[in-house]
Amino acid sequence: MKDSSQSAPAGLLVANLKSWETFDWPTEQQRWIYRSWGQYFARMRKNTFAQKYFDKCITENESTDHKALYLRSKFKRSVALTQDALEDSLRAMEVRQAWDANVSMELGDALYDLNRFEENKSLLHDNVRRHAGTALKSFENRLVVVDENLKDCTGFSLANFFMEHSAQLPGFYAHQQEELRRADRRPLWKILKERKECDVQSRIDRKEVMLSPLERERRRRKTKIFYQNYLGRSWTDFFFLKTLRRHPNCLLDNHFGSSADRTKYLEYAFQRLKTFTRMLQARRPMYKEYFHRNPQIEARMRDANLFRIQYQTRRNMVSILRTIKVLRGRNDIKRLRKFVEEVMGSYVVIKTNRLMPWKAEFMNEVYNNLALSLCEGYRLPPTRVTPYDKSAMCQLLNIPVAKPLEHTELIFGDRSTYSYAGADKQSTDRLADQNQIEYLEKRLLFARLPIERSYLLHELADRHMQKNHFVQSLSYAQKAIEEARVCNSLIWEFLSTMLMAKSHAVLHKYERQTEVLNSAYELAAQLKSPQLCTFIELCRMLNKDYITLRKMSQLVTTKRLRTKISNRSSFLSSPNCSPNFSEFKKEEYGHLAA
């Protein structure tokens, strides 16, 4: 027989309710049940169900229960939702007109978790005056803790901290103001109008913060020390979580359709840990521990640490030079260039003169070894070179000749042979080249030594030449020559000059090639390298033959044209030609005869 309690009028659907939810409980009884279940699930760490039943207890009743708000505030504080917990505590204080020690204590704890120590201290003093007996002891204990936190934050260590970092405070305040502006959720045109800026700009020009590699490494090190201090050995897990937020193998953007939820969960977990560390830092700042120690002992420990790093840096420098010599012996230019780029761009650039006293000498040694290896690539070819081959100069200068498009075979089932696979590979390679060029340009902004700037400009010129951007290649090569002259480095000036020769060879600019090769020959003579002089002399002879052949071809072409015009003129002046046709042809070919 059908239960009358679950029956519904015709044309209406029965609500999806459990059988026990259809009982006609009194409102007070329902509130008590939901509140009890919320407490139970909160103890069992089933946060979703606890949140659900606390919300039911509060929202599904006309009168608000202050005890339910109090319990939900405690639950939200346990799951790091401190701002929501504070709002529930304030609502509980409004609903509970009489003064309640438990609700006041929960409100104070929420303020303490939000690092609002001044308001918390004021509330605790107010409760100490109101209560007596056992309720008073809890407030007094919390008051002692807050007083110690304020003493740590505003004691003598804060004055020492301001005196030591006074030069950085304007930038810090500007950063704080920028963060407040970003938190503004109003329409953009209103914000710009208040600042008296252009309110019709459709796209904001964001200023990219350019940090030197040394400053970037310094900030990374300070961040690492910060989380090591407050998270202990768990700091590695925190940085692993920070990496997972953007890692494609974890997010799986193209699979299962759950990437957005996974990203949201990882971001929430990361922000929760970040907020927790900031809470700890607000209660006991790092400058308290730094200035609390004995300055003499601190200086001695710092010097000992720097000496250890300096010793290990020297060992690494010797190892780097040994590796460069091994790669030079193997004549592996490609690996050598990659090794020098990685070492100088990610290791040496973040070392100060305190840790690497011979930094300039070491950089000169590395770059000169690389330059010598690059010069060894200019050698006489094993085959005969003929000026009748237009690509002979490119082959002589080791320039890869552009290959014609090859026929691609399509194999059903093998995706690597599909057309989009090749397109994806080309786009990936193009993006990698562009990223490499941007990386070298950023390094160039903060490079100070002329030999390092000459190396970076040479690499940029070489990258652009590989992408067939010969105008940019010539521009960077000319700048590299100027930087090489500043540091009096003949070998890097020679290499940059040869890059210009390569660009002119591809563009078939033989007259300019003559000037460049003459300059290269003078540099090779100053380097006292017979091998380079012989190689450059061969290039000059080949370029001279190119110019001679082009002049001969132009003479032959001009002679043929003149012969053709004279033949036409003699035909027009002959008596066999009609007068009308003769006048027409004279008008048509008159400019050629002239």
Side-chain angles (χ1 to χ4, degrees):
M1 184 176 180
K2 190 174 182 180
D3 190 1
S4 60
S5 62
Q6 295 186 2
S7 60
L12 295 178
L13 296 176
V14 180
N16 187 14
L17 301 174
K18 304 293 183 182
S19 57
W20 51 268
E21 289 180 332
T22 59
F23 295 159
D24 190 13
W25 299 100
T27 304
E28 192 66 25
Q29 187 73 9
Q30 288 183 5
R31 181 189 303 166
W32 184 85
I33 291 173
Y34 290 145
R35 190 176 64 201
S36 178
W37 284 355
Q39 287 180 272
Y40 169 76
F41 286 122
R43 286 196 302 269
M44 298 298 294
R45 300 296 183 188
K46 296 183 177 181
N47 300 332
T48 305
F49 293 104
Q51 178 76 27
K52 173 184 175 182
Y53 288 110
F54 277 133
D55 293 343
K56 278 179 172 288
C57 178
I58 295 171
T59 58
E60 293 188 1
N61 296 283
E62 296 179 357
S63 60
T64 307
D65 186 5
H66 78 280
K67 190 172 183 180
L69 289 169
Y70 161 72
L71 292 174
R72 190 170 74 170
S73 176
K74 290 186 67 174
F75 163 72
K76 287 185 176 181
R77 276 201 314 113
S78 66
V79 295
L81 297 174
T82 316
Q83 185 63 38
D84 296 341
L86 177 63
E87 295 174 1
D88 287 342
S89 300
L90 291 173
R91 284 184 62 190
M93 289 285 290
E94 294 175 359
V95 172
R96 178 73 175 180
Q97 298 178 357
W99 197 268
D100 193 333
N102 292 328
V103 177
S104 300
M105 195 177 302
E106 178 63 25
L107 178 60
D109 292 342
L111 290 171
Y112 182 78
D113 289 345
L114 289 172
N115 301 326
R116 295 160 66 170
F117 299 137
E118 296 85 355
E119 299 178 27
N120 185 24
K121 183 178 175 63
S122 175
L123 180 65
L124 291 175
H125 277 293
D126 194 7
N127 280 274
V128 165
R129 289 194 300 269
R130 286 176 178 267
H131 298 286
T134 56
L136 179 63
K137 191 65 177 176
S138 300
F139 290 105
E140 289 179 344
N141 293 337
R142 284 169 168 76
L143 193 58
V144 170
V145 174
V146 174
D147 289 338
E148 291 297 324
N149 290 142
L150 291 174
K151 189 183 297 183
D152 291 342
C153 295
T154 59
F156 292 102
S157 57
L158 180 61
N160 296 330
F161 175 78
F162 276 126
M163 291 177 64
E164 185 172 332
H165 299 87
S166 58
Q168 302 176 6
L169 292 179
F172 170 75
Y173 291 136
H175 176 71
Q176 291 294 104
Q177 292 296 327
E178 185 64 26
E179 292 293 329
L180 292 176
R181 291 194 192 100
R182 290 180 181 178
D184 198 343
R185 301 294 183 184
R186 292 178 301 166
L188 180 60
W189 65 271
K190 287 187 177 181
I191 301 173
L192 295 176
K193 188 176 181 180
E194 285 187 1
R195 298 184 203 168
K196 296 182 179 180
E197 297 179 4
C198 178
D199 56 352
V200 297
Q201 189 174 5
S202 60
R203 183 173 179 177
I204 300 296
D205 296 333
R206 295 186 178 181
K207 296 181 180 179
E208 184 180 0
V209 181
M210 298 296 294
L211 298 176
S212 65
L214 193 60
E215 179 64 24
R216 194 182 303 113
E217 178 64 21
R218 188 181 290 115
R219 292 190 180 188
R220 189 193 68 82
R221 178 61 181 166
K222 287 183 178 180
T223 304
K224 180 181 176 181
I225 293 174
F226 175 81
Y227 288 109
Q228 282 178 340
N229 186 53
Y230 292 111
L231 297 180
R233 295 183 178 180
S234 300
W235 71 272
T236 54
D237 301 329
F238 175 79
F239 277 91
F240 179 67
L241 178 62
K242 183 179 179 181
T243 306
L244 283 181
R245 295 181 307 154
R246 304 290 184 266
H247 202 282
N249 293 341
C250 177
L251 299 180
L252 298 176
D253 296 334
N254 300 326
H255 303 277
F256 312 119
S258 60
S259 176
D261 297 337
R262 196 178 294 107
T263 304
K264 184 178 179 181
Y265 173 76
L266 290 172
E267 186 67 28
Y268 171 73
F270 173 75
Q271 293 297 334
R272 181 172 58 182
L273 282 175
K274 195 173 180 180
T275 304
F276 174 68
T277 52
R278 289 183 177 178
M279 289 168 56
L280 297 179
Q281 193 266 346
R283 297 175 188 181
R284 186 174 178 83
M286 289 184 64
Y287 58 79
K288 170 65 178 177
E289 300 181 5
Y290 179 77
F291 292 104
H292 184 69
R293 300 172 184 169
N294 190 343
Q296 297 178 355
I297 297 177
E298 185 71 23
R300 188 165 61 248
M301 292 174 60
R302 181 175 180 274
D303 290 339
N305 183 42
L306 289 176
F307 279 123
R308 284 193 296 270
I309 299 175
Q310 181 180 350
Y311 175 71
Q312 184 60 42
T313 303
R314 179 186 174 277
R315 291 174 61 89
N316 293 339
M317 290 165 61
V318 174
S319 176
I320 289 168
L321 291 176
R322 190 183 301 116
T323 306
I324 289 175
K325 290 181 180 179
V326 170
L327 292 175
R328 276 197 64 193
R330 295 178 182 174
N331 198 21
D332 194 348
I333 304 298
K334 186 176 181 180
R335 287 186 59 187
L336 178 59
R337 295 180 71 171
K338 185 177 180 181
F339 177 75
V340 171
E341 182 181 342
E342 291 178 355
V343 168
M344 304 304 289
S346 61
Y347 181 74
V348 178
V349 74
I350 63 175
K351 296 296 181 182
T352 60
N353 292 328
R354 172 64 178 83
L355 300 178
M356 189 181 283
W358 303 95
K359 183 175 181 179
E361 289 77 3
F362 175 74
M363 295 175 71
N364 281 328
E365 185 73 17
V366 171
Y367 289 134
N368 287 334
N369 275 282
L370 176 62
L372 289 173
S373 300
L374 293 175
C375 286
E376 291 174 359
Y378 297 111
R379 59 186 63 182
L380 296 176
T383 59
R384 183 179 178 181
V385 178
T386 172
Y388 295 100
D389 185 6
K390 291 186 178 181
S391 63
M393 182 67 79
C394 296
Q395 295 175 3
L396 190 61
L397 295 174
N398 297 324
I399 302 174
V401 182
K403 298 181 179 179
L405 295 177
E406 299 179 356
H407 174 70
T408 57
E409 184 180 0
L410 177 62
I411 302 175
F412 181 75
D414 187 1
R415 294 190 176 183
S416 62
T417 61
Y418 295 171
S419 59
Y420 64 81
D424 293 343
K425 185 178 183 303
Q426 291 177 2
S427 60
T428 304
D429 295 342
R430 193 182 304 110
L431 182 61
D433 293 339
Q434 186 64 30
N435 292 338
Q436 186 66 22
I437 291 175
E438 292 177 359
Y439 166 73
L440 292 173
E441 289 177 348
K442 287 182 180 179
R443 277 190 60 187
L444 185 63
L445 290 175
F446 303 102
R448 292 293 176 262
L449 284 180
I451 191 171
E452 183 182 9
R453 294 180 60 84
S454 179
Y455 158 75
L456 293 173
L457 290 168
H458 174 274
E459 290 296 312
L460 283 168
D462 190 37
R463 294 281 178 177
H464 280 292
M465 192 187 66
Q466 292 176 7
K467 295 179 65 178
N468 298 330
H469 298 167
F470 300 108
V471 177
Q472 293 90 330
S473 178
L474 289 170
S475 175
Y476 279 114
Q478 184 62 41
K479 293 179 182 179
I481 290 174
E482 295 174 0
E483 292 291 340
R485 289 173 180 171
V486 171
C487 64
N488 197 21
S489 177
L490 296 176
I491 191 166
W492 280 107
E493 186 178 354
F494 172 78
L495 289 172
S496 303
T497 306
M498 293 305 296
L499 276 181
M500 296 182 69
K502 289 182 179 181
S503 299
H504 291 321
V506 176
L507 297 175
H508 300 290
K509 296 182 178 180
Y510 303 120
E511 286 76 11
R512 294 186 181 180
Q513 182 78 308
T514 303
E515 300 174 1
V516 172
L517 290 176
N518 290 336
S519 302
Y521 186 82
E522 293 177 2
L523 293 170
Q526 294 179 20
L527 289 171
K528 298 179 182 180
S529 174
Q531 179 184 355
L532 291 179
C533 290
T534 307
F535 178 79
I536 298 300
E537 185 61 32
L538 178 60
C539 294
R540 293 167 67 183
M541 293 173 59
L542 183 60
N543 187 67
K544 188 176 181 180
D545 292 341
Y546 278 147
I547 296 175
T548 304
L549 288 176
R550 187 174 65 176
K551 289 182 178 179
M552 291 175 60
S553 63
Q554 288 177 355
L555 289 174
V556 172
T557 305
T558 306
K559 186 176 180 180
R560 288 178 180 175
L561 182 60
R562 289 179 178 176
T563 304
K564 191 174 182 179
I565 293 174
S566 63
N567 292 336
R568 288 175 178 171
S569 300
S570 60
F571 172 74
L572 293 174
S573 60
S574 64
N576 297 327
C577 180
S578 64
N580 295 333
F581 181 78
S582 176
E583 292 177 2
F584 173 74
K585 288 300 181 182
K586 282 182 181 181
E587 291 178 1
E588 183 178 357
Y589 295 102
H591 66 281
L592 292 177

